Amino acid sequence: MERSLIILKPDALQRGLMGPILTRLEARGLKFIGLKLMQVSDELARKHYGVHEGKPFFAGLVSYITSAPVLVVAIEGKDVISIIRNTVGATNPAQAAPGTIRGDFGVNIGRNLIHASDSPENGAQEVSLFFNDSELLAYDRSIDQWVTE
Ligand code: IDP
Ligand code: MG
């Protein structure tokens, strides 16, 4: 079982794209275990994007992610890291394949709509950075037998 942290970034909310983006993840068969609207603080943004500190786009990235509310989503399941990264598409929407979220909804690397964890280790860590245990739900879905063999 892997966990992935998804962030629908401020541009996704401001452009009214929460529904269309969530629909793609949900229709794929992915299981949401936590979901909330929040305003990311400067401190949380710097922690979450700590690996990018020192890069030329870091200051812009922190101000982008803290500029307006975001929707954070925790997803759990087998192979969810690679499944979601493939659904999200390349970092730069200008180069992302059609059919991916970034390839269908974005044009610019600085406004690429969505974050998705890039490894099982980072997924587990990022989910616990954004969610308390009490905000993550364990439940069964009757459709699971039709989603996974
Ligand atoms: P990812 O989101 O596809 O994992 P990363 O390389 O981890 O991409 O970069 C994190 C975020 O930093 C990107 O999603 C994007 O918002 C921003 N970013 C990355 N490279 C650039 C850039 O060259 N210019 C502006 N923003 C960038
Ligand atoms: Mg990344």
PDB file of all heavy atoms in Angstrom, residues 28-63:
ATOM      1  N   ARG A  28     -10.560   7.165 -12.170  1.00  0.00           N
ATOM      2  CA  ARG A  28      -9.495   6.182 -12.398  1.00  0.00           C
ATOM      3  C   ARG A  28      -9.657   4.984 -11.459  1.00  0.00           C
ATOM      4  O   ARG A  28      -9.129   3.913 -11.708  1.00  0.00           O
ATOM      5  CB  ARG A  28      -8.135   6.877 -12.186  1.00  0.00           C
ATOM      6  CG  ARG A  28      -6.934   6.080 -12.587  1.00  0.00           C
ATOM      7  CD  ARG A  28      -6.295   6.518 -13.887  1.00  0.00           C
ATOM      8  NE  ARG A  28      -5.532   5.404 -14.432  1.00  0.00           N
ATOM      9  CZ  ARG A  28      -4.224   5.345 -14.565  1.00  0.00           C
ATOM     10  NH1 ARG A  28      -3.478   6.390 -14.263  1.00  0.00           N
ATOM     11  NH2 ARG A  28      -3.628   4.274 -15.035  1.00  0.00           N
ATOM     12  N   GLY A  29     -10.370   5.218 -10.347  1.00  0.00           N
ATOM     13  CA  GLY A  29     -10.570   4.147  -9.366  1.00  0.00           C
ATOM     14  C   GLY A  29      -9.800   4.386  -8.075  1.00  0.00           C
ATOM     15  O   GLY A  29      -9.807   3.547  -7.176  1.00  0.00           O
ATOM     16  N   LEU A  30      -9.127   5.547  -7.997  1.00  0.00           N
ATOM     17  CA  LEU A  30      -8.314   5.830  -6.809  1.00  0.00           C
ATOM     18  C   LEU A  30      -9.191   6.079  -5.589  1.00  0.00           C
ATOM     19  O   LEU A  30     -10.308   6.586  -5.693  1.00  0.00           O
ATOM     20  CB  LEU A  30      -7.427   7.049  -7.085  1.00  0.00           C
ATOM     21  CG  LEU A  30      -6.403   6.829  -8.209  1.00  0.00           C
ATOM     22  CD1 LEU A  30      -5.823   8.156  -8.673  1.00  0.00           C
ATOM     23  CD2 LEU A  30      -5.305   5.887  -7.740  1.00  0.00           C
ATOM     24  N   LYS A  31      -8.648   5.720  -4.418  1.00  0.00           N
ATOM     25  CA  LYS A  31      -9.404   5.830  -3.168  1.00  0.00           C
ATOM     26  C   LYS A  31      -8.913   7.026  -2.351  1.00  0.00           C
ATOM     27  O   LYS A  31      -7.746   7.064  -1.949  1.00  0.00           O
ATOM     28  CB  LYS A  31      -9.222   4.538  -2.374  1.00  0.00           C
ATOM     29  CG  LYS A  31     -10.000   4.493  -1.076  1.00  0.00           C
ATOM     30  CD  LYS A  31      -9.729   3.166  -0.377  1.00  0.00           C
ATOM     31  CE  LYS A  31     -10.484   3.066   0.925  1.00  0.00           C
ATOM     32  NZ  LYS A  31     -10.107   1.837   1.647  1.00  0.00           N
ATOM     33  N   PHE A  32      -9.816   7.983  -2.121  1.00  0.00           N
ATOM     34  CA  PHE A  32      -9.479   9.167  -1.318  1.00  0.00           C
ATOM     35  C   PHE A  32      -9.634   8.798   0.165  1.00  0.00           C
ATOM     36  O   PHE A  32     -10.697   8.336   0.570  1.00  0.00           O
ATOM     37  CB  PHE A  32     -10.437  10.322  -1.622  1.00  0.00           C
ATOM     38  CG  PHE A  32     -10.430  10.839  -3.044  1.00  0.00           C
ATOM     39  CD1 PHE A  32     -11.287  11.859  -3.419  1.00  0.00           C
ATOM     40  CD2 PHE A  32      -9.576  10.323  -4.010  1.00  0.00           C
ATOM     41  CE1 PHE A  32     -11.301  12.356  -4.726  1.00  0.00           C
ATOM     42  CE2 PHE A  32      -9.571  10.802  -5.314  1.00  0.00           C
ATOM     43  CZ  PHE A  32     -10.450  11.820  -5.668  1.00  0.00           C
ATOM     44  N   ILE A  33      -8.617   9.055   0.963  1.00  0.00           N
ATOM     45  CA  ILE A  33      -8.728   8.775   2.403  1.00  0.00           C
ATOM     46  C   ILE A  33      -8.720  10.046   3.260  1.00  0.00           C
ATOM     47  O   ILE A  33      -8.951  10.007   4.449  1.00  0.00           O
ATOM     48  CB  ILE A  33      -7.636   7.796   2.895  1.00  0.00           C
ATOM     49  CG1 ILE A  33      -6.231   8.357   2.658  1.00  0.00           C
ATOM     50  CG2 ILE A  33      -7.806   6.428   2.247  1.00  0.00           C
ATOM     51  CD1 ILE A  33      -5.145   7.614   3.439  1.00  0.00           C
ATOM     52  N   GLY A  34      -8.474  11.199   2.613  1.00  0.00           N
ATOM     53  CA  GLY A  34      -8.510  12.472   3.339  1.00  0.00           C
ATOM     54  C   GLY A  34      -8.605  13.607   2.337  1.00  0.00           C
ATOM     55  O   GLY A  34      -8.076  13.486   1.231  1.00  0.00           O
ATOM     56  N   LEU A  35      -9.304  14.674   2.720  1.00  0.00           N
ATOM     57  CA  LEU A  35      -9.523  15.772   1.770  1.00  0.00           C
ATOM     58  C   LEU A  35      -9.875  17.035   2.548  1.00  0.00           C
ATOM     59  O   LEU A  35     -10.756  16.998   3.403  1.00  0.00           O
ATOM     60  CB  LEU A  35     -10.687  15.347   0.868  1.00  0.00           C
ATOM     61  CG  LEU A  35     -10.965  16.073  -0.441  1.00  0.00           C
ATOM     62  CD1 LEU A  35     -11.473  15.068  -1.464  1.00  0.00           C
ATOM     63  CD2 LEU A  35     -12.000  17.133  -0.198  1.00  0.00           C
ATOM     64  N   LYS A  36      -9.175  18.118   2.300  1.00  0.00           N
ATOM     65  CA  LYS A  36      -9.556  19.378   2.974  1.00  0.00           C
ATOM     66  C   LYS A  36      -9.059  20.606   2.222  1.00  0.00           C
ATOM     67  O   LYS A  36      -8.011  20.573   1.579  1.00  0.00           O
ATOM     68  CB  LYS A  36      -9.051  19.410   4.420  1.00  0.00           C
ATOM     69  CG  LYS A  36      -7.550  19.451   4.566  1.00  0.00           C
ATOM     70  CD  LYS A  36      -7.119  19.475   6.043  1.00  0.00           C
ATOM     71  CE  LYS A  36      -5.615  19.293   6.146  1.00  0.00           C
ATOM     72  NZ  LYS A  36      -5.143  19.224   7.531  1.00  0.00           N
ATOM     73  N   LEU A  37      -9.840  21.689   2.359  1.00  0.00           N
ATOM     74  CA  LEU A  37      -9.425  23.003   1.876  1.00  0.00           C
ATOM     75  C   LEU A  37      -8.545  23.623   2.936  1.00  0.00           C
ATOM     76  O   LEU A  37      -8.856  23.536   4.122  1.00  0.00           O
ATOM     77  CB  LEU A  37     -10.639  23.914   1.716  1.00  0.00           C
ATOM     78  CG  LEU A  37     -11.430  23.924   0.421  1.00  0.00           C
ATOM     79  CD1 LEU A  37     -12.552  24.949   0.562  1.00  0.00           C
ATOM     80  CD2 LEU A  37     -10.566  24.245  -0.774  1.00  0.00           C
ATOM     81  N   MET A  38      -7.466  24.257   2.527  1.00  0.00           N
ATOM     82  CA  MET A  38      -6.631  24.942   3.512  1.00  0.00           C
ATOM     83  C   MET A  38      -5.829  26.063   2.849  1.00  0.00           C
ATOM     84  O   MET A  38      -5.663  26.094   1.630  1.00  0.00           O
ATOM     85  CB  MET A  38      -5.686  23.949   4.193  1.00  0.00           C
ATOM     86  CG  MET A  38      -4.662  23.335   3.282  1.00  0.00           C
ATOM     87  SD  MET A  38      -3.575  22.157   4.132  1.00  0.00           S
ATOM     88  CE  MET A  38      -2.611  23.234   5.172  1.00  0.00           C
ATOM     89  N   GLN A  39      -5.343  26.953   3.695  1.00  0.00           N
ATOM     90  CA  GLN A  39      -4.416  27.994   3.253  1.00  0.00           C
ATOM     91  C   GLN A  39      -3.038  27.548   3.721  1.00  0.00           C
ATOM     92  O   GLN A  39      -2.821  27.359   4.919  1.00  0.00           O
ATOM     93  CB  GLN A  39      -4.806  29.331   3.891  1.00  0.00           C
ATOM     94  CG  GLN A  39      -3.888  30.479   3.576  1.00  0.00           C
ATOM     95  CD  GLN A  39      -4.162  31.119   2.225  1.00  0.00           C
ATOM     96  OE1 GLN A  39      -5.319  31.323   1.858  1.00  0.00           O
ATOM     97  NE2 GLN A  39      -3.109  31.424   1.494  1.00  0.00           N
ATOM     98  N   VAL A  40      -2.114  27.333   2.812  1.00  0.00           N
ATOM     99  CA  VAL A  40      -0.774  26.866   3.184  1.00  0.00           C
ATOM    100  C   VAL A  40       0.036  28.036   3.740  1.00  0.00           C
ATOM    101  O   VAL A  40       0.109  29.099   3.126  1.00  0.00           O
ATOM    102  CB  VAL A  40      -0.058  26.237   1.962  1.00  0.00           C
ATOM    103  CG1 VAL A  40       1.369  25.834   2.312  1.00  0.00           C
ATOM    104  CG2 VAL A  40      -0.838  25.035   1.435  1.00  0.00           C
ATOM    105  N   SER A  41       0.619  27.835   4.914  1.00  0.00           N
ATOM    106  CA  SER A  41       1.451  28.885   5.516  1.00  0.00           C
ATOM    107  C   SER A  41       2.825  28.900   4.845  1.00  0.00           C
ATOM    108  O   SER A  41       3.245  27.921   4.215  1.00  0.00           O
ATOM    109  CB  SER A  41       1.618  28.623   7.008  1.00  0.00           C
ATOM    110  OG  SER A  41       2.421  27.459   7.195  1.00  0.00           O
ATOM    111  N   ASP A  42       3.518  30.006   5.038  1.00  0.00           N
ATOM    112  CA  ASP A  42       4.878  30.138   4.500  1.00  0.00           C
ATOM    113  C   ASP A  42       5.776  29.022   5.053  1.00  0.00           C
ATOM    114  O   ASP A  42       6.538  28.394   4.321  1.00  0.00           O
ATOM    115  CB  ASP A  42       5.420  31.516   4.889  1.00  0.00           C
ATOM    116  CG  ASP A  42       6.707  31.835   4.162  1.00  0.00           C
ATOM    117  OD1 ASP A  42       6.644  32.113   2.954  1.00  0.00           O
ATOM    118  OD2 ASP A  42       7.777  31.770   4.802  1.00  0.00           O
ATOM    119  N   GLU A  43       5.617  28.730   6.350  1.00  0.00           N
ATOM    120  CA  GLU A  43       6.434  27.699   7.009  1.00  0.00           C
ATOM    121  C   GLU A  43       6.172  26.307   6.412  1.00  0.00           C
ATOM    122  O   GLU A  43       7.106  25.558   6.118  1.00  0.00           O
ATOM    123  CB  GLU A  43       6.118  27.697   8.510  1.00  0.00           C
ATOM    124  CG  GLU A  43       7.030  26.798   9.312  1.00  0.00           C
ATOM    125  CD  GLU A  43       6.538  26.630  10.748  1.00  0.00           C
ATOM    126  OE1 GLU A  43       5.541  27.267  11.143  1.00  0.00           O
ATOM    127  OE2 GLU A  43       7.167  25.835  11.466  1.00  0.00           O
ATOM    128  N   LEU A  44       4.895  25.983   6.232  1.00  0.00           N
ATOM    129  CA  LEU A  44       4.540  24.676   5.668  1.00  0.00           C
ATOM    130  C   LEU A  44       5.021  24.562   4.217  1.00  0.00           C
ATOM    131  O   LEU A  44       5.528  23.513   3.797  1.00  0.00           O
ATOM    132  CB  LEU A  44       3.020  24.462   5.765  1.00  0.00           C
ATOM    133  CG  LEU A  44       2.494  23.137   5.218  1.00  0.00           C
ATOM    134  CD1 LEU A  44       3.112  21.937   5.934  1.00  0.00           C
ATOM    135  CD2 LEU A  44       0.962  23.081   5.330  1.00  0.00           C
ATOM    136  N   ALA A  45       4.878  25.643   3.455  1.00  0.00           N
ATOM    137  CA  ALA A  45       5.330  25.627   2.054  1.00  0.00           C
ATOM    138  C   ALA A  45       6.834  25.368   1.971  1.00  0.00           C
ATOM    139  O   ALA A  45       7.299  24.562   1.163  1.00  0.00           O
ATOM    140  CB  ALA A  45       4.990  26.963   1.394  1.00  0.00           C
ATOM    141  N   ARG A  46       7.596  26.032   2.831  1.00  0.00           N
ATOM    142  CA  ARG A  46       9.055  25.857   2.809  1.00  0.00           C
ATOM    143  C   ARG A  46       9.454  24.442   3.226  1.00  0.00           C
ATOM    144  O   ARG A  46      10.441  23.885   2.733  1.00  0.00           O
ATOM    145  CB  ARG A  46       9.730  26.892   3.729  1.00  0.00           C
ATOM    146  CG  ARG A  46       9.707  28.259   3.131  1.00  0.00           C
ATOM    147  CD  ARG A  46      10.163  29.362   4.095  1.00  0.00           C
ATOM    148  NE  ARG A  46       9.910  30.646   3.440  1.00  0.00           N
ATOM    149  CZ  ARG A  46      10.698  31.175   2.511  1.00  0.00           C
ATOM    150  NH1 ARG A  46      11.817  30.560   2.158  1.00  0.00           N
ATOM    151  NH2 ARG A  46      10.386  32.319   1.944  1.00  0.00           N
ATOM    152  N   LYS A  47       8.693  23.856   4.150  1.00  0.00           N
ATOM    153  CA  LYS A  47       8.976  22.485   4.576  1.00  0.00           C
ATOM    154  C   LYS A  47       8.637  21.503   3.447  1.00  0.00           C
ATOM    155  O   LYS A  47       9.433  20.648   3.092  1.00  0.00           O
ATOM    156  CB  LYS A  47       8.145  22.176   5.841  1.00  0.00           C
ATOM    157  CG  LYS A  47       8.707  21.038   6.657  1.00  0.00           C
ATOM    158  CD  LYS A  47       7.894  20.820   7.934  1.00  0.00           C
ATOM    159  CE  LYS A  47       8.179  21.853   9.011  1.00  0.00           C
ATOM    160  NZ  LYS A  47       7.397  21.586  10.243  1.00  0.00           N
ATOM    161  N   HIS A  48       7.441  21.666   2.887  1.00  0.00           N
ATOM    162  CA  HIS A  48       6.979  20.757   1.827  1.00  0.00           C
ATOM    163  C   HIS A  48       7.910  20.802   0.609  1.00  0.00           C
ATOM    164  O   HIS A  48       8.216  19.771   0.007  1.00  0.00           O
ATOM    165  CB  HIS A  48       5.552  21.130   1.428  1.00  0.00           C
ATOM    166  CG  HIS A  48       5.039  20.388   0.239  1.00  0.00           C
ATOM    167  ND1 HIS A  48       4.866  19.021   0.233  1.00  0.00           N
ATOM    168  CD2 HIS A  48       4.692  20.817  -1.007  1.00  0.00           C
ATOM    169  CE1 HIS A  48       4.414  18.639  -0.967  1.00  0.00           C
ATOM    170  NE2 HIS A  48       4.310  19.706  -1.728  1.00  0.00           N
ATOM    171  N   TYR A  49       8.352  22.006   0.234  1.00  0.00           N
ATOM    172  CA  TYR A  49       9.206  22.160  -0.950  1.00  0.00           C
ATOM    173  C   TYR A  49      10.685  22.323  -0.578  1.00  0.00           C
ATOM    174  O   TYR A  49      11.460  22.845  -1.380  1.00  0.00           O
ATOM    175  CB  TYR A  49       8.725  23.352  -1.789  1.00  0.00           C
ATOM    176  CG  TYR A  49       7.493  23.055  -2.637  1.00  0.00           C
ATOM    177  CD1 TYR A  49       6.360  23.855  -2.558  1.00  0.00           C
ATOM    178  CD2 TYR A  49       7.479  21.986  -3.538  1.00  0.00           C
ATOM    179  CE1 TYR A  49       5.231  23.593  -3.340  1.00  0.00           C
ATOM    180  CE2 TYR A  49       6.368  21.710  -4.323  1.00  0.00           C
ATOM    181  CZ  TYR A  49       5.251  22.518  -4.221  1.00  0.00           C
ATOM    182  OH  TYR A  49       4.149  22.263  -5.010  1.00  0.00           O
ATOM    183  N   GLY A  50      11.066  21.860   0.617  1.00  0.00           N
ATOM    184  CA  GLY A  50      12.442  22.021   1.110  1.00  0.00           C
ATOM    185  C   GLY A  50      13.508  21.534   0.140  1.00  0.00           C
ATOM    186  O   GLY A  50      14.593  22.121   0.035  1.00  0.00           O
ATOM    187  N   VAL A  51      13.207  20.468  -0.611  1.00  0.00           N
ATOM    188  CA  VAL A  51      14.167  19.899  -1.554  1.00  0.00           C
ATOM    189  C   VAL A  51      14.521  20.894  -2.670  1.00  0.00           C
ATOM    190  O   VAL A  51      15.572  20.777  -3.298  1.00  0.00           O
ATOM    191  CB  VAL A  51      13.613  18.566  -2.117  1.00  0.00           C
ATOM    192  CG1 VAL A  51      12.393  18.797  -2.978  1.00  0.00           C
ATOM    193  CG2 VAL A  51      14.667  17.794  -2.889  1.00  0.00           C
ATOM    194  N   HIS A  52      13.654  21.881  -2.902  1.00  0.00           N
ATOM    195  CA  HIS A  52      13.891  22.852  -3.972  1.00  0.00           C
ATOM    196  C   HIS A  52      14.520  24.156  -3.474  1.00  0.00           C
ATOM    197  O   HIS A  52      14.743  25.075  -4.266  1.00  0.00           O
ATOM    198  CB  HIS A  52      12.580  23.181  -4.700  1.00  0.00           C
ATOM    199  CG  HIS A  52      11.972  21.990  -5.376  1.00  0.00           C
ATOM    200  ND1 HIS A  52      12.609  21.300  -6.370  1.00  0.00           N
ATOM    201  CD2 HIS A  52      10.787  21.348  -5.174  1.00  0.00           C
ATOM    202  CE1 HIS A  52      11.843  20.289  -6.772  1.00  0.00           C
ATOM    203  NE2 HIS A  52      10.740  20.285  -6.052  1.00  0.00           N
ATOM    204  N   GLU A  53      14.796  24.227  -2.165  1.00  0.00           N
ATOM    205  CA  GLU A  53      15.399  25.445  -1.625  1.00  0.00           C
ATOM    206  C   GLU A  53      16.724  25.725  -2.339  1.00  0.00           C
ATOM    207  O   GLU A  53      17.502  24.806  -2.586  1.00  0.00           O
ATOM    208  CB  GLU A  53      15.631  25.275  -0.112  1.00  0.00           C
ATOM    209  CG  GLU A  53      15.589  26.586   0.609  1.00  0.00           C
ATOM    210  CD  GLU A  53      15.476  26.438   2.123  1.00  0.00           C
ATOM    211  OE1 GLU A  53      15.114  25.348   2.604  1.00  0.00           O
ATOM    212  OE2 GLU A  53      15.767  27.443   2.792  1.00  0.00           O
ATOM    213  N   GLY A  54      16.953  27.004  -2.690  1.00  0.00           N
ATOM    214  CA  GLY A  54      18.174  27.374  -3.387  1.00  0.00           C
ATOM    215  C   GLY A  54      18.014  27.415  -4.898  1.00  0.00           C
ATOM    216  O   GLY A  54      18.847  27.985  -5.597  1.00  0.00           O
ATOM    217  N   LYS A  55      16.951  26.798  -5.426  1.00  0.00           N
ATOM    218  CA  LYS A  55      16.734  26.838  -6.880  1.00  0.00           C
ATOM    219  C   LYS A  55      16.116  28.180  -7.269  1.00  0.00           C
ATOM    220  O   LYS A  55      15.463  28.837  -6.459  1.00  0.00           O
ATOM    221  CB  LYS A  55      15.818  25.685  -7.311  1.00  0.00           C
ATOM    222  CG  LYS A  55      16.469  24.317  -7.097  1.00  0.00           C
ATOM    223  CD  LYS A  55      15.581  23.180  -7.576  1.00  0.00           C
ATOM    224  CE  LYS A  55      16.239  21.838  -7.242  1.00  0.00           C
ATOM    225  NZ  LYS A  55      15.320  20.703  -7.436  1.00  0.00           N
ATOM    226  N   PRO A  56      16.343  28.615  -8.520  1.00  0.00           N
ATOM    227  CA  PRO A  56      15.884  29.956  -8.925  1.00  0.00           C
ATOM    228  C   PRO A  56      14.380  30.166  -8.802  1.00  0.00           C
ATOM    229  O   PRO A  56      13.923  31.288  -8.584  1.00  0.00           O
ATOM    230  CB  PRO A  56      16.317  30.063 -10.398  1.00  0.00           C
ATOM    231  CG  PRO A  56      16.927  28.776 -10.787  1.00  0.00           C
ATOM    232  CD  PRO A  56      17.112  27.928  -9.571  1.00  0.00           C
ATOM    233  N   PHE A  57      13.584  29.092  -8.910  1.00  0.00           N
ATOM    234  CA  PHE A  57      12.129  29.250  -8.867  1.00  0.00           C
ATOM    235  C   PHE A  57      11.549  29.096  -7.457  1.00  0.00           C
ATOM    236  O   PHE A  57      10.337  29.193  -7.275  1.00  0.00           O
ATOM    237  CB  PHE A  57      11.450  28.241  -9.813  1.00  0.00           C
ATOM    238  CG  PHE A  57      11.745  26.783  -9.504  1.00  0.00           C
ATOM    239  CD1 PHE A  57      11.012  26.096  -8.552  1.00  0.00           C
ATOM    240  CD2 PHE A  57      12.767  26.112 -10.167  1.00  0.00           C
ATOM    241  CE1 PHE A  57      11.283  24.756  -8.264  1.00  0.00           C
ATOM    242  CE2 PHE A  57      13.043  24.766  -9.890  1.00  0.00           C
ATOM    243  CZ  PHE A  57      12.299  24.093  -8.936  1.00  0.00           C
ATOM    244  N   PHE A  58      12.424  28.888  -6.425  1.00  0.00           N
ATOM    245  CA  PHE A  58      11.921  28.563  -5.086  1.00  0.00           C
ATOM    246  C   PHE A  58      11.033  29.667  -4.496  1.00  0.00           C
ATOM    247  O   PHE A  58       9.926  29.392  -4.005  1.00  0.00           O
ATOM    248  CB  PHE A  58      13.080  28.241  -4.139  1.00  0.00           C
ATOM    249  CG  PHE A  58      12.642  27.835  -2.761  1.00  0.00           C
ATOM    250  CD1 PHE A  58      12.022  26.618  -2.538  1.00  0.00           C
ATOM    251  CD2 PHE A  58      12.836  28.681  -1.670  1.00  0.00           C
ATOM    252  CE1 PHE A  58      11.607  26.236  -1.270  1.00  0.00           C
ATOM    253  CE2 PHE A  58      12.431  28.305  -0.394  1.00  0.00           C
ATOM    254  CZ  PHE A  58      11.823  27.087  -0.196  1.00  0.00           C
ATOM    255  N   ALA A  59      11.499  30.915  -4.561  1.00  0.00           N
ATOM    256  CA  ALA A  59      10.718  32.016  -3.965  1.00  0.00           C
ATOM    257  C   ALA A  59       9.356  32.146  -4.654  1.00  0.00           C
ATOM    258  O   ALA A  59       8.318  32.309  -3.997  1.00  0.00           O
ATOM    259  CB  ALA A  59      11.489  33.331  -4.057  1.00  0.00           C
ATOM    260  N   GLY A  60       9.351  32.042  -5.966  1.00  0.00           N
ATOM    261  CA  GLY A  60       8.096  32.118  -6.723  1.00  0.00           C
ATOM    262  C   GLY A  60       7.173  30.961  -6.402  1.00  0.00           C
ATOM    263  O   GLY A  60       5.949  31.132  -6.319  1.00  0.00           O
ATOM    264  N   LEU A  61       7.760  29.785  -6.193  1.00  0.00           N
ATOM    265  CA  LEU A  61       6.970  28.597  -5.867  1.00  0.00           C
ATOM    266  C   LEU A  61       6.287  28.750  -4.510  1.00  0.00           C
ATOM    267  O   LEU A  61       5.101  28.449  -4.361  1.00  0.00           O
ATOM    268  CB  LEU A  61       7.894  27.367  -5.879  1.00  0.00           C
ATOM    269  CG  LEU A  61       7.320  26.022  -5.478  1.00  0.00           C
ATOM    270  CD1 LEU A  61       6.139  25.639  -6.361  1.00  0.00           C
ATOM    271  CD2 LEU A  61       8.411  24.943  -5.540  1.00  0.00           C
ATOM    272  N   VAL A  62       7.035  29.253  -3.520  1.00  0.00           N
ATOM    273  CA  VAL A  62       6.460  29.456  -2.181  1.00  0.00           C
ATOM    274  C   VAL A  62       5.362  30.512  -2.245  1.00  0.00           C
ATOM    275  O   VAL A  62       4.280  30.333  -1.669  1.00  0.00           O
ATOM    276  CB  VAL A  62       7.565  29.836  -1.162  1.00  0.00           C
ATOM    277  CG1 VAL A  62       6.956  30.300   0.151  1.00  0.00           C
ATOM    278  CG2 VAL A  62       8.504  28.656  -0.946  1.00  0.00           C
ATOM    279  N   SER A  63       5.581  31.593  -2.983  1.00  0.00           N
ATOM    280  CA  SER A  63       4.538  32.629  -3.019  1.00  0.00           C
ATOM    281  C   SER A  63       3.314  32.139  -3.802  1.00  0.00           C
ATOM    282  O   SER A  63       2.175  32.463  -3.455  1.00  0.00           O
ATOM    283  CB  SER A  63       5.082  33.974  -3.507  1.00  0.00           C
ATOM    284  OG  SER A  63       5.171  33.999  -4.884  1.00  0.00           O
TER     285      SER A  63
END
